Amino acid sequence: MTTLLIALGLLAGVALLLIVVLLRRRNGATHNVDGLLIEQHHREQARSDRSSYSSFGAHNSPYSVGRRHQK
């Protein structure tokens, strides 16, 4: 029983430590031009990836239409 309480206490301590670390991290906007350009590029890349790797994009692309029936 003591071992279980110690394990739960350690787990709670780790969870509390993670919460404190995540709350202390600064999640603000970038204030310089280079950082803004990098964020813009990553945002555009994520948008492109979401559209090209979606179910519709993967199964209805012009490269795969009709190839299943060709031999």
Side-chain angles (χ1 to χ4, degrees):
M1 184 66 175
T2 304
T3 307
L4 180 63
L5 291 176
I6 291 173
L8 289 176
L10 286 174
L11 185 63
V14 169
L16 184 64
L17 179 66
L18 288 174
I19 290 170
V20 169
V21 168
L22 290 175
L23 288 176
R24 290 185 60 198
R25 287 177 68 182
R26 184 173 174 218
N27 196 11
T30 305
H31 297 293
N32 59 11
V33 176
D34 293 332
L36 290 173
L37 290 174
I38 291 170
E39 286 179 8
Q40 180 182 7
H41 171 71
H42 287 175
R43 197 170 44 250
E44 290 170 356
Q45 183 66 42
R47 181 182 301 147
S48 171
D49 290 346
R50 280 193 300 271
S51 64
S52 62
Y53 294 120
S54 68
S55 179
F56 182 77
H59 298 294
N60 294 317
S61 68
Y63 300 109
S64 65
V65 174
R67 288 192 178 201
R68 283 179 264 170
H69 303 293
Q70 293 177 353
K71 291 186 179 183

